[in-house]
Amino acid sequence: MRIAIAGAGNVGRSIARELVDNGHQVMLIERVPSMVRPERVPAAEWILADACELSSLQEADLSSCDVVVAATGDDKVNLVVSLLAKTEFAVPRVVARINRAENEWLFNEQWGVDVSVSKPRLMAALVEEAVSVGDLVRLMTFRQSEANLVEITLPESAPYVGHPVRDVPLPHDSALVAILRGRRVLVPTPDDPLEAGDELIFVVTSEMEDAVRVVMLGADSVEKTRNKHY
């Protein structure tokens, strides 16, 4: 893929290195001359420009990009970049970094954001994911589709432990996409049995999260979760 990253700070450069290593064409756009350091990610294309300026993005041929990542340390800049990428250049996928948690509500499809990444939320999710057995943990939100990536670690008491995947009556608008078992990543098939300790990864709409929780953890799991929050 051809990917443009606005912001060549630590976050932008780290994303660029990872994507370059995965074989993608990466263009870093940075407006501060002292931050333009091609030797730090030599395989990327570097452009000295303001990503909030329409003319700069036109010169960078943003419309040829498959993905734009707004990765600056300024939420206002990231919103403007996202909006321009989506509305002016019809970029198929826009990923935006959220720096301040109180601004999270702005990062939605109206601003051109397909996926937003909030460091506070992500860190909290990783903490919860590490310690929460028998609960549903939201890992990521896909703004455009109103779906979430969620994780459930099965306790021994879960209703479908020992049953094959085909027996699990998942509600509509939900899908089991992976089973993490120890160091293994399994793509679930109907015949795969579920085991205690399995980390199940689902894509599910927000309104169906409680229904998935009830199926996987039991009818009283929703009330238990709510009680933990009070």
Side-chain angles (χ1 to χ4, degrees):
M1 293 188 295
R2 177 169 166 79
I3 301 163
I5 301 173
N10 290 331
V11 173
R13 293 196 308 272
S14 296
I15 297 169
R17 290 191 198 98
E18 188 76 20
L19 292 170
V20 165
D21 288 345
N22 289 339
H24 300 294
Q25 297 178 6
V26 176
M27 174 174 59
L28 278 161
I29 305 173
E30 174 57 54
R31 67 180 181 86
V32 179
S34 62
M35 295 291 290
V36 178
R37 304 284 296 277
E39 71 277 6
R40 295 190 173 185
V41 192
E45 176 186 358
W46 288 72
I47 294 178
L48 176 61
D50 187 343
C52 291
E53 292 288 341
L54 188 59
S55 58
S56 297
L57 298 180
Q58 288 171 335
E59 290 180 16
D61 193 19
L62 208 71
S63 60
S64 69
C65 293
D66 302 290
V67 182
V68 165
V69 182
T72 79
D74 187 324
D75 285 344
K76 296 188 295 294
V77 171
N78 291 342
L79 285 170
V80 171
V81 171
S82 299
L83 186 62
L84 290 175
K86 184 65 71 174
T87 60
E88 298 294 330
F89 299 94
V91 175
R93 191 165 184 80
V94 177
V95 179
R97 170 190 177 188
I98 304 173
N99 295 279
R100 298 179 65 85
E102 61 266 30
N103 295 330
E104 188 172 345
W105 65 279
L106 287 165
F107 286 74
N108 55 34
E109 66 277 1
Q110 292 178 320
W111 279 95
V113 178
D114 295 310
V115 179
S116 61
V117 181
S118 167
K119 289 188 292 182
R121 169 172 283 191
L122 182 57
M123 291 177 71
L126 290 172
V127 169
E128 290 182 321
E129 187 271 336
V131 301
S132 295
V133 175
D135 198 1
L136 181 147
V137 178
R138 185 180 295 178
L139 300 175
M140 182 181 292
T141 297
F142 302 99
R143 298 287 183 185
Q144 197 170 47
S145 62
E146 298 183 358
N148 302 313
L149 189 70
V150 305
E151 184 267 353
I152 294 175
T153 300
L154 291 181
E156 292 183 2
S157 59
Y160 290 95
V161 166
H163 291 252
V165 170
R166 72 161 69 86
D167 288 353
V168 180
L170 284 177
H172 64 87
D173 294 333
S174 66
L176 175 62
V177 295
I179 301 172
L180 310 183
R181 183 174 295 158
R183 298 187 177 213
R184 300 176 62 199
V185 178
L186 307 176
V187 178
T189 68
D191 295 327
D192 285 326
L194 299 178
E195 298 180 5
D198 280 353
E199 296 180 57
L200 308 182
I201 308 298
F202 297 88
V203 175
V204 57
T205 58
S206 298
E207 57 267 25
M208 298 308 296
E209 283 184 1
D210 280 351
V212 170
R213 184 187 277 113
V214 166
V215 168
M216 300 311 307
L217 298 173
D220 61 346
S221 60
V222 174
E223 192 61 34
K224 286 180 180 177
T225 297
R226 288 175 180 158
N227 289 340
K228 286 199 304 186
H229 294 162
Y230 291 98

